[in-house]
Amino acid sequence: MASSSSLLFESILTPLLLLTTFFPSSSSLAGAVNPPFHPRDVLPLLPRQLSWPILNSLHSAVDLLPTFVGAASVSALSSNHTLNWKGACFYENSAWVEFHNKSGSEFGGGTLHIKMSKAHSWTCMDIYVFATPYRVTWDYYFRAREHTLEFEAWEGKAEFEYVKRKGVSIFLMQAGMLGTLQALWEVFPLFTNTGWGENSNLAFLKKHMGATFEQRPQPWVTNITVDDIHSGDFLAISKIRGRWGGFESLEKWVTGSYAGHTAVCLRDSEGKLWVGESGHENEEGEDIIAVLPWDEWWDFELNKDDSNPQIALLPLHPDIRAKFNETAAWEYARSMDGKPYGYHNMIFSWIDTIEGNYPPPLDAHLVASVMTVWNQMQPAYAANLWNEALNKRLGTQGLDLPNILVETEKRGSSFDELLTIPEQDDWLYSDGKSTSCVAFILEMYKEAGLFDPISSSIEVTEFTIKDAYILKFFEDDPNRLPKWCNDGDTVKLPFCQIRGKYRMELPGYNTLEPYPHMNERCPSLPPKYSRSQNC
C-alpha cells in the first residue's frame, strides 16, 4: 500500500503530467529538442525507497525560501525597462510593468508582463512570488508564452509612486514545484513534538551547520551540587524538538550559534540560588522576563520541558566573578522582572552587514517580503517584531512597514542598509527596554561591571548567543570546574553539560576579549561562520 505522502505526490503529479502532455511548451513545439520530461520531475512517482534518498540529496528545507531575481520596472518610464533572468524551469525570462487605469481609480493599476521560453522539459514548472511594500502574491507557470499578472488598483499614491520608482520585486522558487514540496516535507517535522521532529532538527543542523550531535554516556542528567553554582554563571540551552526546537534550528542556522536559548544564575543576600530568564512563558502563555528559584526552574527543565533541552552551565572565571557586582545585577534583574521578551530587537543582533549575514538564498529583499506578508496577516505582531525598531533607525515614529520602506527609499538609502544600523541598548520601546534572552544576560553583565572600562562603547543588544559564549569571561582551568562537571563522560568539555543526550558544541567558546563596538559589523555565513577582525 502506498504511503500517504506518496499518494499526495501522485495526486499532484498525475494531473500535472497530463496537462503538460497535452499542452507542451511552445519552445518544445518549435524546436522539438526538449526532452518530454526531466528525471528529477518524476522522481516522486518511483518507489519511495528509491526516490526519497535522491530527493533528499537534491532539496532541503532552505528550498522553501524564494530567490530574488530582480524588480520589473515600468516600461513607459525606462529605456531599459526589461528585467531578464534564468529560471529553474524556463531558462529565458523577461518582465516589465505597464501602468493602466482600467479601474477608473485615482492612481490606476498596472499589469506585470512575464515572458517565458526555453523550458528544460515538458514537465517542469516555475513558481514565483511577486511583492511591493503593500502586497505579496504568487503564481506558477508551466507554459512558454507571455503571461500577465494584474494589479487592478494601487494602494493609493504611495504604492503608485513606489512601483514607478522601484518596480515590482520578483522572487523565484529555485527548487520548482517538486523541490518545494520536498522542502515542505523536510521543514514540517522541525516543529513537531515527536521523535521524527527531533531527528529532523538534528539532521538539519548536521547538514547546514556541520554539527555532530555525538551521544553522551548515561546518565544524561547531572547530579548537581547547587553550592558550586555562583552569581553570573551562564546557562546555554539548545532545544531540539517541538515548536521551539524548529524555531531554534532556523535561528542557529542564520546566526551560527550552537545554542538557541540562555539563562543566568543569581544568588540573593541569603545565599538562595535563582535563575533569570528572558523568554519564560507565564500562565497566560506570554513570553516574559522572569526571575525564578533554581529548584522551580530546574524541575521544569527536567520534567516539563518537552523540547528535550540540552543544557550547559558555563561558570564564570574567578577573576571575572570577582568583578561581578551582585547588588547591581539584582537591581537590574528586578527592574526587568515581568517585562515582555525582547521581540523588538530579536532579528537585529543577527543582521550586521548588507550581504554577510544571509545564508543563500536569503537576502534583504526576501526579508522585506516576509515582513510584508506578516504585516498583512498579523499587523500587531509585525509591529512588535520590527516596525518600532525600524522607526528607531529612521528617527521616525508610528510609520507602518510600507511607509518605512518608502521613507527609506526617499532618503536615498536602502532597506538592506537600514537593517544593518546597530541597535542601541538605551532605546525605549512602547513597552520599555527590549532584551532578548541573551541581551538580558549581557545587559546584567554590563550593569554588574563585567564590560568595564569599555562598557559605554558596548551595545549588548547587538550580540547573538554565539557572541556571548565566545566572550573570554568563563572558566579556563578544567581543574577548577566542579567535581560533578561532565561526570561519567569520557570527553571532558571546557564547560559543564548538565542535561542532554547529545554532547553540546560551542565553537569558539571563551576565546574573545571584549573590545569597543564589538559585534556591530560581523558577518555570519555558514558553514564556518567566520567573523572578520574587530567587527
Side-chain angles (χ1 to χ4, degrees):
M1 180 180 292
S3 68
S4 58
S5 57
S6 297
L7 290 172
L8 171 63
F9 275 111
E10 289 185 32
S11 66
I12 294 170
L13 275 173
T14 301
L16 176 59
L17 291 173
L18 289 172
L19 283 170
T20 51
T21 299
F22 287 106
F23 300 101
S25 68
S26 59
S27 58
S28 63
L29 289 171
V33 295
N34 286 350
F37 64 87
H38 191 284
R40 183 172 59 236
D41 298 333
V42 294
L43 275 172
L45 293 177
L46 301 176
R48 181 188 175 106
Q49 295 87 342
L50 175 63
S51 64
W52 279 69
I54 301 173
L55 278 168
N56 276 320
S57 68
L58 292 173
H59 301 296
S60 68
V62 298
D63 289 322
L64 282 176
L65 301 173
T67 300
F68 178 68
V69 299
S73 59
V74 182
S75 59
L77 301 176
S78 172
S79 58
N80 186 25
H81 61 271
T82 303
L83 170 69
N84 299 285
W85 73 95
K86 180 180 178 181
C89 171
F90 296 97
Y91 286 172
E92 288 189 3
N93 306 279
S94 58
W96 65 96
V97 175
E98 178 186 7
F99 277 174
H100 62 64
N101 197 357
K102 297 176 183 178
S103 64
S105 58
E106 182 178 359
F107 297 101
T111 301
L112 174 64
H113 297 265
I114 309 156
K115 188 174 182 180
M116 299 178 171
S117 62
K118 294 194 175 180
H120 73 66
S121 78
W122 292 357
T123 58
C124 67
M125 174 188 296
D126 274 341
I127 306 174
Y128 286 94
V129 177
F130 308 99
T132 77
Y134 300 84
R135 70 182 80 207
V136 174
T137 188
W138 70 280
D139 208 344
Y140 60 91
Y141 307 101
F142 58 86
R143 295 187 63 189
R145 62 177 177 83
E146 184 177 316
H147 303 268
T148 59
L149 182 70
E150 290 294 333
F151 298 88
E152 292 185 5
W154 304 118
E155 295 289 334
K157 182 178 180 181
E159 186 177 26
F160 169 77
E161 292 291 345
Y162 186 91
V163 174
K164 186 167 69 173
R165 289 193 302 267
K166 304 292 286 187
V168 175
S169 295
I170 300 177
F171 300 84
L172 169 68
M173 301 299 294
Q174 290 278 13
M177 175 67 82
L178 301 181
T180 302
L181 290 171
Q182 172 62 21
L184 278 168
W185 184 255
E186 181 177 343
V187 78
F188 169 74
L190 295 180
F191 296 88
T192 62
N193 194 6
T194 62
W196 177 36
E198 180 172 315
N199 291 333
S200 297
N201 277 291
L202 300 185
F204 180 90
L205 296 171
K206 288 178 181 178
K207 181 175 182 178
H208 296 291
M209 295 184 69
T212 60
F213 291 101
E214 297 176 351
Q215 188 167 320
R216 303 167 68 213
Q218 294 198 49
W220 295 330
V221 176
T222 301
N223 186 17
I224 300 170
T225 302
V226 176
D227 291 344
D228 293 327
I229 302 177
H230 305 278
S231 284
D233 288 352
F234 190 101
L235 291 157
I237 304 160
S238 177
K239 301 174 185 286
I240 57 176
R241 66 190 297 173
R243 175 170 61 104
W244 284 112
F247 174 80
E248 283 192 12
S249 288
L250 300 178
E251 177 192 4
K252 292 166 187 172
W253 171 55
V254 299
T255 65
S257 300
Y258 277 60
H261 186 52
T262 58
V264 65
C265 299
L266 278 174
R267 284 200 181 275
D268 62 21
S269 58
E270 298 178 355
K272 183 177 178 179
L273 185 62
W274 299 74
V275 174
E277 181 181 34
S278 179
H280 174 76
E281 187 173 312
N282 64 14
E283 293 179 356
E284 288 75 36
E286 301 166 328
D287 294 316
I288 63 168
I289 298 170
V291 182
L292 309 167
W294 166 270
D295 291 342
E296 179 182 335
W297 183 86
W298 186 230
D299 177 69
F300 175 83
E301 295 301 337
L302 290 182
N303 302 309
K304 301 174 186 176
D305 191 341
D306 57 9
S307 67
N308 193 7
Q310 317 291 293
I311 305 176
L313 176 77
L314 318 183
L316 290 180
H317 188 279
D319 294 343
I320 299 295
R321 185 178 299 124
K323 293 174 60 176
F324 190 86
N325 185 329
E326 272 188 348
T327 301
W330 268 108
E331 184 176 338
Y332 170 75
R334 291 189 179 102
S335 73
M336 298 296 288
D337 192 20
K339 290 188 176 179
Y341 174 81
Y343 284 109
H344 296 295
N345 48 35
M346 183 172 62
I347 70 168
F348 296 101
S349 62
W350 156 43
I351 301 174
D352 290 344
T353 67
I354 290 177
E355 297 179 342
N357 299 110
Y358 302 103
L362 276 176
D363 61 14
H365 298 283
L366 181 56
V367 171
S369 293
V370 170
M371 287 181 175
T372 301
V373 171
W374 275 107
N375 195 60
Q376 293 175 349
M377 294 173 59
Q378 297 282 347
Y381 186 61
N384 190 34
L385 273 176
W386 45 69
N387 284 9
E388 280 198 63
L390 292 172
N391 272 280
K392 293 284 187 187
R393 284 157 173 78
L394 285 171
T396 54
Q397 287 186 345
L399 295 184
D400 60 10
L401 182 64
N403 285 314
I404 287 169
L405 295 173
V406 170
E407 179 64 23
T408 303
E409 193 270 336
K410 282 181 180 178
R411 296 186 184 189
S413 185
S414 62
F415 188 66
D416 49 5
E417 291 176 333
L418 184 66
L419 290 173
T420 66
I421 295 175
E423 183 81 7
Q424 304 296 305
D425 291 350
D426 60 359
W427 279 348
L428 283 175
Y429 290 88
S430 57
D431 50 9
K433 282 192 174 182
S434 186
T435 58
S436 64
C437 63
V438 71
F440 168 71
I441 297 170
L442 295 180
E443 186 67 33
M444 180 186 294
Y445 283 2
K446 194 174 176 181
E447 293 294 324
L450 298 195
F451 286 102
D452 290 345
I454 60 170
S455 180
S456 61
S457 59
I458 295 286
E459 304 294 347
V460 299
T461 41
E462 280 291 304
F463 284 51
T464 65
I465 293 174
K466 177 185 178 181
D467 296 332
Y469 65 64
I470 67 174
L471 284 169
K472 200 168 176 57
F473 279 178
F474 305 106
E475 181 59 81
D476 57 7
D477 184 350
N479 295 318
R480 285 199 296 256
L481 292 173
K483 291 181 180 180
W484 44 262
C485 186
N486 302 309
D487 190 29
D489 198 343
T490 55
V491 175
K492 301 303 179 184
L493 299 172
F495 46 81
C496 305
Q497 184 162 349
I498 58 177
R499 190 197 193 284
K501 177 180 179 180
Y502 303 100
R503 193 171 291 118
M504 292 182 69
E505 304 169 77
L506 301 178
Y509 173 67
N510 201 30
T511 56
L512 189 64
E513 295 282 358
Y515 57 86
H517 301 290
M518 67 186 304
N519 302 317
E520 295 181 7
R521 291 285 183 263
C522 290
S524 59
L525 290 177
K528 294 184 177 180
Y529 300 97
S530 302
R531 54 182 291 136
S532 51
Q533 188 174 7
N534 295 325
C535 63

